[in-house]
Amino acid sequence: MICEPACRMNFKNLREYLAWLYYQYLLITGIYVLEPWEKSIFNSILFSAIAMVIYTSYVFVPIHVRLALEFFSGIFGGQPESTMALMN
Amino acid sequence: MTESSANKLLNGDACHRTANGRKASKNGFVKNHCLFQQPHKYRRPREKNQNVTHNSSLYKKPFSESFEETPLLVAVLTYMGYGILTIFGYLRDFLRHWNIEKCHVARERDEQKDFVPLYQDFENFYTRNLYMRIRDNWNRPICSVPGAKMDLVERVSHDYNWTFEHTGKVVKDVINMGSYNYLGFAENTGTCADAAIEATQAYGVGVGSTRCEMGNLDIHEEMEQLVARFLGVESSMAFGMGFATNSMNIPALTGKGCLILSDELNHASLVLGARLSASTIRVFKHNNMQSLEKLLRDAIVHGQPRTHRPWKKILIVVEGIYSMEGSIVRLPEIIALKKRYKAYLYLDEAHSIGALGPNGRGVVDYFGLDPKDVDIMMGTFTKSFGAAGGYIGGKKELIDYLRRHSHSALYATSMSPPVAQQIITSMKIIMGEDGTTLGADRLRQLSENTTYFRRKLREMGFIIYGNDDSPVVPMMLYMPAKIGAFGREMLKRNIGTVVVGFPATPIIESRARFCVSAAHTRETLNTALEAISEVGDLLQLKYSRREQPLPSLGWMSEESLLQD
């Protein structure tokens, strides 16, 4: 929705394009009409939430992926070698 | 007794409006005699059903109206935007309540503590926390004649629109896309202005009395005869205020034991009049003839609630052009229904008189119908005639009755003579009685401008509501922040527009409304269209998902697209 008609806009440089994207963000969320301090509250809440999401996914996702892989390999994989050692 | 009448006994009137359609269809034996049956069950998914002319035999020319459906993503984002603004509204209300922030608006005094709260309903909340933030787009003072171009008084606000102060500067030559100046008679030079000056010199400006006392001038009599001739009715009478014409005359016409069938988008003056009249009001869906017919049949079959006596009168109240949707009433079908079910018809031509029809005589002229089929022809002089006031036309008995019973005839001061003269002169120009073709030129110019402006906007990819021939052009904005941004960006480009949001429209269907005028030249319109397109790209307003017609086929292909 954002990208397709953006080609009609003729931007001179990246800076202008980013300014336009920020303007779209203001308009769609409705914070365009808010006072500056309200804007900063909204932005800080939103960006801290996004930052927390990214941080938690960076910290916990690899552990969960490893645990899940171990769990599934335990079910579908072959016999672990340690049991073979017990037999001997 | 059918099930529906039993329900009525229990629930009274309240359940009627919502459940009526369902009830009527339950009542099997009347169902098959409907004048207008549902033509087909299938609807095109992206259109709200207005594109298909249901009873094409009644229309002399294609009747194409479109209300493109809101894209889902846009609707979701709009609700999200309102959600965010509402949260901040509550935050600000909280701060005001604990005196952390200064409260600029009226609030309860300490003495009123524990009384019923006055400022807590949704509309107050909306005004305080949403409307206030973009209030600079409304009520801008104008300091010139509101013709095709106008001058605005520049104003600034240092406290986020709570107060404004004038800088003393004037914004010159702003293109006026907002005035209801359909035929361009809002002028300070030319025949009409000269005649008004002469009338002021002869009669003065104030009258100082009502029509039935000392305020009945010969110029009023002349005007009423001219209006009757213009409309093609037996007799007519004029009032000093358009709003009061509706709100004070409907109570004179109907009363207790009468039924008013009102379109859901009728103007506030009609709603107020209907409520003041103490008649029962039932609302039908906008321009939906099936809904109206169901209500009419139900009213005739069941009569009044509880007593089941027949209604004394059934009055259908509709408007010519609906000012927020740009749609034109389906008059041929309504007249067929009214004749079949013996109801009366009240037609409010506030926007359509002068603006529609080959002779500028409103919707009746537009559809080529007989004005005698409409019982009460109401209209205003405020729009196309560039004056003020309203009229009612109809049979002589009706007008004589209204002269004696209408509040606005008995108690209101009569119309100012220069205003009456402006009406007479402009009406004569429209009728061609001044010996020139100026009126015909204006009518042609308006219809060309309307077609051109609507076609261009549609080609640019905006969602435009309404009939192709209506000079009221609503363009959808949807998101709350875009209402404010659109008005400001357009004013930056020296174009004055009207933006409309809740409560005048449903909460998500905010729009900008352009009124095309005969005073606009092609260059003016092109300048405005360029700016609209630029702002449309900047704000991402080109929501339309309708396939564009091939440019080589032009206008015809678009018409056939709409007709399929």
Side-chain angles (χ1 to χ4, degrees):
Chain A
M1 194 191 126
I2 303 286
C3 317
E4 178 243 321
C7 46
R8 272 193 291 229
M9 284 290 294
N10 291 330
F11 298 105
K12 279 185 219 114
N13 48 33
L14 184 69
R15 198 187 138 86
E16 207 170 287
Y17 178 65
L18 288 179
W20 182 78
L21 275 187
Y22 179 66
Y23 191 57
Q24 296 310 308
Y25 159 76
L26 291 182
L27 285 174
I28 287 172
T29 51
I31 60 172
Y32 170 82
V33 300
L34 297 185
E35 291 170 24
W37 65 270
E38 289 170 310
K39 267 182 210 167
S40 43
I41 288 182
F42 182 83
N43 283 337
S44 41
I45 291 177
L46 187 71
F47 286 113
S48 52
I50 290 174
M52 275 191 274
V53 166
I54 292 172
Y55 176 73
T56 34
S57 49
Y58 171 73
V59 172
F60 293 107
V61 165
I63 299 171
H64 281 284
V65 167
R66 197 163 49 78
L67 287 175
L69 277 176
E70 274 174 20
F71 176 70
F72 285 113
S73 64
I75 292 174
F76 300 113
Q79 291 265 326
E81 281 179 28
S82 55
T83 48
M84 297 294 284
L86 263 177
M87 297 269 293
N88 294 332
Chain B
M1 280 297 121
T2 57
E3 185 195 336
S4 53
S5 53
N7 273 351
K8 247 181 264 172
L9 274 173
L10 289 173
N11 300 344
D13 244 10
C15 68
H16 260 253
R17 286 194 194 172
T18 48
N20 229 330
R22 194 169 46 77
K23 276 182 203 159
S25 61
K26 267 187 202 164
N27 199 347
F29 86 101
V30 281
K31 198 179 177 186
N32 298 328
H33 303 278
C34 284
L35 196 53
F36 302 143
Q37 297 204 343
Q38 205 85 34
H40 45 240
K41 286 274 186 285
Y42 175 70
R43 282 179 187 171
R44 286 175 58 192
R46 283 191 178 181
E47 305 292 327
K48 277 191 203 163
N49 89 346
Q50 297 284 334
N51 278 346
V52 186
T53 311
H54 296 301
N55 296 280
S56 44
S57 60
L58 289 170
Y59 295 91
K60 293 189 174 74
K61 54 183 161 188
F63 183 80
S64 65
E65 253 175 35
S66 70
F67 297 93
E68 197 177 330
E69 202 185 287
T70 311
L72 182 68
L73 181 63
V74 175
V76 170
L77 290 175
T78 308
Y79 278 120
M80 188 194 74
Y82 274 112
I84 292 169
L85 292 182
T86 309
I87 291 170
F88 275 97
Y90 278 117
L91 173 71
R92 300 296 293 268
D93 270 3
F94 174 82
L95 295 181
R96 283 183 203 121
H97 182 255
W98 293 104
N99 284 327
I100 301 170
E101 178 187 11
K102 189 171 174 281
C103 182
H104 297 270
V105 276
R107 61 199 295 188
E108 280 97 353
R109 290 154 59 182
D110 290 336
E111 297 92 313
Q112 285 168 296
K113 202 166 166 265
D114 301 329
F115 277 64
V116 179
L118 295 173
Y119 306 108
Q120 277 186 11
D121 64 340
F122 178 69
E123 301 220 353
N124 273 308
F125 178 85
Y126 182 87
T127 313
R128 206 166 45 227
N129 294 311
L130 281 86
Y131 168 73
M132 266 302 166
R133 298 179 190 273
I134 49 174
R135 195 162 73 112
D136 55 321
N137 288 296
W138 288 278
N139 310 337
R140 282 192 194 117
I142 296 172
C143 55
S144 73
V145 62
K149 293 195 175 170
M150 59 187 173
D151 300 339
L152 294 184
V153 177
E154 196 183 63
R155 59 176 192 183
V156 287
S157 174
H158 299 295
D159 53 357
Y160 299 101
N161 295 345
W162 287 102
T163 57
F164 289 100
E165 64 189 52
H166 293 183
T167 55
K169 281 185 231 152
V170 169
V171 190
K172 285 266 178 199
D173 286 334
V174 177
I175 295 177
N176 180 359
M177 295 304 297
S179 293
Y180 304 131
N181 181 20
Y182 299 121
L183 291 178
F185 279 114
E187 294 168 316
N188 51 5
T189 52
T191 330
C192 291
D194 294 343
I197 291 167
E198 269 171 40
T200 316
Q201 277 158 357
Y203 297 94
V205 174
V207 182
S209 184
T210 64
R211 286 296 289 281
C212 51
E213 288 162 4
M214 303 285 283
N216 194 18
L217 307 180
D218 58 345
I219 200 170
H220 293 132
E221 302 274 339
E222 186 193 345
M223 172 179 63
E224 287 178 348
Q225 280 158 17
L226 183 71
V227 171
R229 202 145 49 82
F230 179 70
L231 296 171
V233 293
E234 283 176 18
S235 183
S236 85
M237 75 177 297
F239 305 88
M241 178 182 172
F243 189 97
T245 314
N246 276 334
S247 57
M248 293 289 107
N249 282 306
I250 297 177
L253 293 167
T254 62
K256 221 159 182 283
C258 300
L259 175 67
I260 292 180
L261 298 177
S262 168
D263 192 291
E264 63 178 344
L265 296 180
N266 271 346
H267 187 253
S269 57
L270 293 165
V271 175
L272 178 68
R275 287 186 185 160
L276 286 176
S277 73
S279 356
T280 307
I281 306 161
R282 287 181 193 158
V283 180
F284 61 93
K285 285 196 200 111
H286 175 55
N287 238 351
N288 185 327
M289 293 306 117
Q290 280 90 35
S291 167
L292 174 61
E293 188 171 21
K294 265 177 195 162
L295 285 184
L296 275 169
R297 296 171 75 79
D298 208 46
I300 289 169
V301 172
H302 300 301
Q304 300 185 30
R306 295 185 192 85
T307 57
H308 294 283
R309 286 189 191 136
W311 294 100
K312 285 183 191 157
K313 273 172 253 173
I314 299 179
L315 182 68
I316 303 170
V317 180
V318 289
E319 281 186 54
I321 293 181
Y322 290 86
S323 61
M324 284 299 160
E325 308 296 302
S327 53
I328 297 178
V329 65
R330 294 175 173 271
L331 196 63
E333 293 173 69
I334 288 190
I335 286 180
L337 279 176
K338 143 199 149 58
K339 280 185 176 163
R340 179 169 172 144
Y341 295 103
K342 310 264 186 303
Y344 296 99
L345 177 58
Y346 186 108
L347 175 65
D348 175 353
E349 295 211 85
H351 287 268
S352 53
I353 191 74
L356 276 187
N359 306 307
R361 293 173 194 196
V363 265
V364 179
D365 187 28
Y366 175 75
F367 289 115
L369 300 164
D370 185 2
K372 295 192 174 57
D373 285 337
V374 182
D375 300 286
I376 301 129
M377 302 261 279
M378 181 269 163
T380 58
F381 301 121
T382 338
K383 281 123 190 163
S384 301
F385 302 103
Y391 65 80
I392 282 196
K395 287 213 173 65
K396 191 165 182 312
E397 295 88 343
L398 171 85
I399 302 301
D400 289 347
Y401 173 83
L402 281 178
R403 274 185 210 285
R404 289 184 48 216
H405 290 92
S406 157
H407 280 18
S408 53
L410 289 170
Y411 298 114
T413 308
S414 59
M415 195 182 271
S416 175
V419 174
Q421 186 59 51
Q422 162 85 17
I423 295 162
I424 293 172
T425 319
S426 57
M427 202 171 271
K428 279 188 175 161
I429 292 176
I430 297 171
M431 292 163 86
E433 286 188 1
D434 61 334
T436 63
T437 57
L438 283 173
D441 291 345
R442 282 175 195 251
L443 288 167
R444 199 177 23 94
Q445 180 78 38
L446 175 65
S447 112
E448 276 173 16
N449 282 355
T450 305
T451 316
Y452 177 73
F453 194 71
R454 278 188 167 266
R455 177 168 56 89
K456 280 286 178 189
L457 284 183
R458 196 159 282 172
E459 277 172 10
M460 287 174 190
F462 294 107
I463 294 189
I464 302 296
Y465 271 11
N467 194 295
D468 287 351
D469 290 326
S470 130
V472 182
V473 188
M475 188 183 105
M476 303 313 287
L477 303 174
Y478 296 114
M479 292 168 205
K482 289 187 183 179
I483 308 173
F486 186 79
R488 290 173 194 167
E489 289 294 330
M490 290 303 279
L491 190 62
K492 256 186 225 167
R493 289 162 177 77
N494 241 20
I495 291 162
T497 53
V498 175
V499 283
V500 197
F502 183 83
T505 66
I507 193 131
I508 70 157
E509 290 181 9
S510 310
R511 59 197 72 178
R513 186 186 55 183
F514 306 109
C515 291
V516 182
S517 161
H520 292 137
T521 58
R522 194 47 73 88
E523 292 79 56
T524 319
L525 284 184
N526 282 335
T527 319
L529 282 165
E530 259 169 50
I532 294 168
S533 177
E534 201 182 305
V535 176
D537 282 330
L538 181 69
L539 306 187
Q540 294 295 299
L541 295 171
K542 299 181 175 174
Y543 300 115
S544 182
R545 294 167 303 172
R546 195 194 303 256
E547 327 75 278
Q548 296 298 323
L550 294 169
S552 58
L553 294 170
W555 180 231
M556 284 309 290
S557 70
E558 185 159 301
E559 212 157 13
S560 60
L561 242 179
L562 296 173
Q563 289 287 305
D564 68 338

